[in-house]
Amino acid sequence: MKPRYQTNFMPDLFSWRELELMINMASFLNPSNCVIDPKEAGKLQWDMPSWNVNKEEMPVGLFEELMNKVGVFYFVDCSRFKKEFNDFASHLEEEEKIPFDTHVYVHYKNLQKPHPFGCHWDLHSNVIIQCEGSTHWMVYPKINPVTKTQQSHLHIDEDPIIDIVLNPGDAIWIPRYYPHHAISKEKRISLSFAGTHHSSLETQNYKDRTWISLR
């Protein structure tokens, strides 16, 4: 994978209406799937509804309060939410020979709030697809992870090798060890297809990309 971007790469991949569905399903509203400010989430308590089999699943009404207060959240383990996610994850796994997951990143309110990691580099490679809104992305030259131990909130004097505003349908490829910074220009949804270099394609989670189609 090389750093690059492409406009109009995958239009109409994911929408606000589909995010509504994901949230209102409620099964994603648990700490294993949903990452939101833990200081705020930790203050909330609720009774377990009669039909709810997951006691960690946050009621939708409480999530709405937290979502509006914090403004930034994301979901992990989403590659099977829809066939298009699963197909693209499968394509990347075949191409890169590493397992991929799909993360749904949302900046909904408080646009002045900076990215939680600031300028940072990752241990995994990413393909980010802009789905709603727009985001200013800057990607910087590759660092040496042995000598550059600080991973987030970096101050980089070098000019970025990519400096682009992504609009819906656009995509950017960011290999691991390339520092990058995302600034939301308006409320937005981005999908991150993240590939881990520390797991094998032989593990069951990634070995079975079968999609059941009912007719």
Side-chain angles (χ1 to χ4, degrees), residues 146-180:
V146 176
T147 58
K148 192 74 170 180
T149 55
Q150 182 180 343
Q151 195 168 346
S152 62
H153 302 289
L154 303 176
H155 297 281
I156 299 177
D157 295 327
E158 298 175 87
D159 292 332
I161 57 176
I162 294 177
D163 189 344
I164 188 73
V165 173
L166 295 189
N167 295 303
D170 298 346
I172 188 168
W173 284 253
I174 306 176
R176 63 176 176 167
Y177 307 147
Y178 279 82
H180 50 280

Side-chain angles (χ1 to χ4, degrees), residues 9-14 18 78-92 102 129 191 193 209 211:
F9 177 67
M10 293 185 77
D12 304 317
L13 182 59
F14 190 67
E18 288 172 300
C78 296
S79 65
R80 288 187 171 276
F81 179 73
K82 60 186 294 187
K83 187 176 187 297
E84 289 82 358
F85 294 3
N86 196 62
D87 287 349
F88 189 54
S90 178
H91 166 76
L92 290 171
T102 309
I129 300 175
L191 295 186
F193 290 85
R209 280 288 177 194
W211 185 269

Side-chain angles (χ1 to χ4, degrees), residues 100-205:
F100 275 81
D101 183 34
T102 309
H103 303 169
V104 178
Y105 183 90
V106 183
H107 197 163
Y108 185 68
K109 291 283 185 74
N110 305 323
L111 294 183
Q112 74 283 358
K113 187 174 183 176
H115 190 282
F117 309 133
C119 181
H120 66 284
W121 56 272
D122 293 316
L123 293 169
H124 51 266
S125 299
N126 286 286
V127 179
I128 291 120
I129 300 175
Q130 188 80 26
C131 297
E132 296 278 12
S134 60
T135 309
H136 182 190
W137 281 92
M138 290 162 283
V139 181
Y140 295 89
K142 186 177 182 179
I143 57 93
N144 183 339
V146 176
T147 58
K148 192 74 170 180
T149 55
Q150 182 180 343
Q151 195 168 346
S152 62
H153 302 289
L154 303 176
H155 297 281
I156 299 177
D157 295 327
E158 298 175 87
D159 292 332
I161 57 176
I162 294 177
D163 189 344
I164 188 73
V165 173
L166 295 189
N167 295 303
D170 298 346
I172 188 168
W173 284 253
I174 306 176
R176 63 176 176 167
Y177 307 147
Y178 279 82
H180 50 280
H181 193 189
I183 302 173
S184 300
K185 305 295 289 182
E186 55 189 333
K187 71 175 186 177
R188 55 113 166 180
I189 304 174
S190 299
L191 295 186
S192 175
F193 290 85
T196 174
H197 296 262
H198 303 288
S199 183
S200 168
L201 280 174
E202 294 304 310
T203 56
Q204 189 60 38
N205 285 348

Side-chain angles (χ1 to χ4, degrees), residues 20-34:
E20 284 182 14
L21 173 62
M22 179 177 283
I23 292 172
N24 286 296
M25 285 172 64
S27 57
F28 284 92
L29 302 184
N30 64 76
S32 298
N33 289 102
C34 181

